[in-house]
Amino acid sequence: MFGHRKKHDVDSYSITGVLRPVEVPEEQQPVIRARQLQTVGRLTPIVGLANVINAAVVVMSFWNTPAARLLGIWSVTLLAATAVMLGANIASRNKHKKRDPRTPPSVIGTQKGIERYARFSSLLGMIWGVLPLLVMPFTDYNSQMTVSIIMAGMMFGGVILISRIPEAALSFLIPITIGYIVGLQLWQDPRNDYLSVLALVYAGVLWVTTKWSHRQFIEQHLSGLAIQQQAQLIGLLLRDFEESTSDWLWQTDANGTLVDIPMPTLGEKGSSFQAMAKGGDIGSLFLPTDTKNTLMRCLERKQGFRDLVLNVDNEDGAWWSLTGKPIYDTVGRFIGFRGVASDITQSKAIEDRIAYMAHYDPLTGLPNRACLHEQLEKIALTPVEEGNERALLWLDLDNFKWVNDTLGHPAGDELLCQVASRLNEHIGSAEIIARLGGDEFAILVEMHGRDALLDCIQNLSDRLNEPYEIWGSIVHCGASIGVRIVEQHSMDIDTLLKHADLALYQAKESGKRTWCVFTPELAEKAKARRGIELDLHRALENEELTLYFQPQMCAHTGRIVGCETLIRWNHPSRGLIGPNNFIQHAEDSGIITRLGDWALREALFAARRLPDDMGISVNISPLQIHSSSLVTTIVNALAVNQIDPSRLELEITESVLMSDTEFTLDRLNQLKDIGVRIALDDFGTGFSSLNYLRRFPFDKLKIDKSFVEDIDHNDDSRAITQATLELARALNMTCTAEGVETESQKQFLTEIGCDELQGFMISRPQPLEKLSHLFPVLTQQEADEALATKRASGDADTSVIQLQDAANRRHRRMG
């Protein structure tokens, strides 16, 4: 911006910039022309007087020459033209005086005035331009120099006097310059050539000077206009401020005593400003605060201050903003302070409310996460007193989602309020109790001795695990607590919070509704867990995962009818790892979806090597059920490998159905429409199995091995197993018993009508190549040839279309 401005200024004062026309707003042109006429009109008498004096000098100088007669005629003509010009000027000024000053100048009138003055100037220029022609042919060289001096004076004096009107100046300058040069040339003297050139230079300089003066005149006018408009705007703003402001002025003497009653600028300001009455001490008006101490230091040191927020010592508890500066008399002696005060009580209340909302939970009134961090940073700077123990408790409700889903969110809010009440009631002396969001809370507590601290935590856990009564309903919602003992006050806050969270995670792993103290081993476990999660990402890229197959045998014929697929991980350094050691980590990190999609593709790829009447079972995780890619992965894998959908069996646990049940049931129905079979795994170990069986027609129930392993010596397990088989038959489902390891187990299950058996007695999970003794297994080349033959028959495209149509039909029904 400044660079552009600098360039503009340089252009304005260069020769081309001066000669270039000035851009004037159209509405300002009449005003500027009127000012031009007014300025030149004041100088017109001087112009006339200059003409008369110069004419008299010319006549007296050349009266005794042959040109005397002609000079008489010339002087009379000049006097007549001057008289007319003066008369016209007097008439114009009288007319201007009669005009109402509030009336804007006329566009046509001002333009005609400029043109009229230019004509007068041209006439005078021509009269003076004739003078050299009359005198120079009849005079000697010295007389010619006198004429040159007179002509140069008229050129400079006349143009400068009427320079406010460039048109008039040019009209005067051109004829007088031409007449002078022609007169010089009539006298055949080589020296006159130099005078002619000099006359042209004078004329050029005068013209540039006239243009520069005119530009300055216009720019000054426009600048003055801009300043005037700005002043009007500032005046309007000041008047608006005076009408609406709540500010007032105050002043003290050198001792800090108010010397005048503060008066508001305009309007009613309220009663608070009246507290600054004459004779009072300004320091006594405010309650003791750090800001008041700042005010007193500034008054003592005679320093200015701005926007000090002070609490007024009155019943209203008002807040003022105070600004002031020291004032001195003409000899530099300090005489007091003067400033402005404003009542900011309302805005201060709003500001405090915003600050409260930023640092406190609006539901429970407890400090929030941001406030917890601030408090921990302050407390971390103070050492733990000798003999005391300080701990950070990280608390999470165990069954909060169930309360929200079954009783509604208002009930969940009421539960959170009751939890906050129990926390305040049980640990009222805590350093801080905060709600972190959702159903998470944090407590910083300090007790005398480790035993007292642990007893307090145990009592708190017992209290939080007691039932809650919410609007007539009894709610069991325990809490898991992670505890981080603070050994030193300088511990990093982020590390402290992370350790407390790890302890909470361990408490939940231990069965919930309990508490756990952080130990370095937990950090090592977390580190190992993160390492496994990172290795899992690499395992998929490096093809370290493989599928094992566990056969399922028909209990009546002894024939292998299917296989369940189980993932194994060939870790580069840890060797072969079973799913129990990494599946949960995959669930926690979210990679289980990619892992499950891979397992589906690999299982159906391997199914090509099995007989066409053998099924293939794949376990599906809760996250995978909600994956948008699940159906697409299954359809594509079935189509690519040309597997009959009825051969694929998806095994789900009851935990899959406990999250977003309606969506899950719709997704399972979508899969059944494709032709895939659905099995309910680990039946009997959940909470609502019968309800799910009523709402969704499963194809198979799988009896959990925990019942099967006890049927040899536990009557209850035998009864449950038999009841499950009867339930499956009643619902037209097949039933598979897992964990069959002994002949007696096999015999009992066969006798009571179990359809399929699975366990170590039939076979341990093995790679497909090692199961060829139980059922025919094709080589990969044979499977590829069989698939090529099937595709050549044209069945492949038909299968793809049928699978996709089935999926789309179900998707439209769900929509």
Side-chain angles (χ1 to χ4, degrees), residues 221-341:
H221 170 79
L222 294 178
S223 297
L225 179 65
I227 292 173
Q228 181 182 1
Q229 291 176 343
Q230 188 177 17
Q232 292 175 351
L233 176 61
I234 292 173
L236 289 173
L237 292 175
L238 285 175
R239 282 196 295 273
D240 181 67
F241 172 76
E242 289 174 349
E243 292 172 0
S244 60
T245 184
S246 60
D247 297 358
W248 64 90
L249 301 175
W250 59 270
Q251 184 172 334
T252 69
D253 60 14
N255 298 320
T257 303
L258 292 164
V259 298
D260 199 5
I261 297 177
M263 292 298 294
T265 51
L266 278 176
E268 179 60 39
K269 306 299 174 187
S271 60
S272 61
F273 76 94
Q274 296 176 359
M276 299 183 79
K278 180 179 180 180
D281 180 16
I282 190 170
S284 64
L285 298 177
F286 309 106
L287 295 173
T289 60
D290 291 341
T291 310
K292 180 182 176 180
N293 294 336
T294 302
L295 171 66
M296 300 309 294
R297 283 197 301 270
C298 291
L299 293 175
E300 182 180 350
R301 298 173 182 176
K302 302 180 179 60
Q303 294 177 345
F305 51 88
R306 176 175 291 277
D307 299 329
L308 295 182
V309 178
L310 299 157
N311 192 190
V312 183
D313 187 7
N314 60 9
E315 295 180 357
D316 299 333
W319 289 85
W320 289 355
S321 175
L322 212 63
T323 297
K325 64 178 182 179
I327 52 176
Y328 299 86
D329 59 14
T330 55
V331 296
R333 182 178 58 191
F334 173 72
I335 60 175
F337 272 83
R338 179 183 297 141
V340 178

Side-chain angles (χ1 to χ4, degrees), residues 90 145 188 363:
I90 293 171
M145 291 305 296
Q188 299 298 323
L363 178 64

Side-chain angles (χ1 to χ4, degrees), residues 14 105 110 123 154 156 244 270 317 346 351 378 390 395 397 410 443 445 489 524 547 606 635-636 651 683 727 740 810:
S14 65
T110 54
L123 177 60
M154 286 305 300
F156 277 90
S244 60
Q346 185 175 3
E351 180 182 338
K378 293 179 182 178
R390 182 183 293 170
L395 184 152
L397 302 182
I443 307 167
V445 62
H489 69 276
E524 291 299 323
L547 286 185
V635 169
N636 289 340
E651 296 187 8
F683 180 76
L727 177 64
V740 180
R810 180 59 189 174

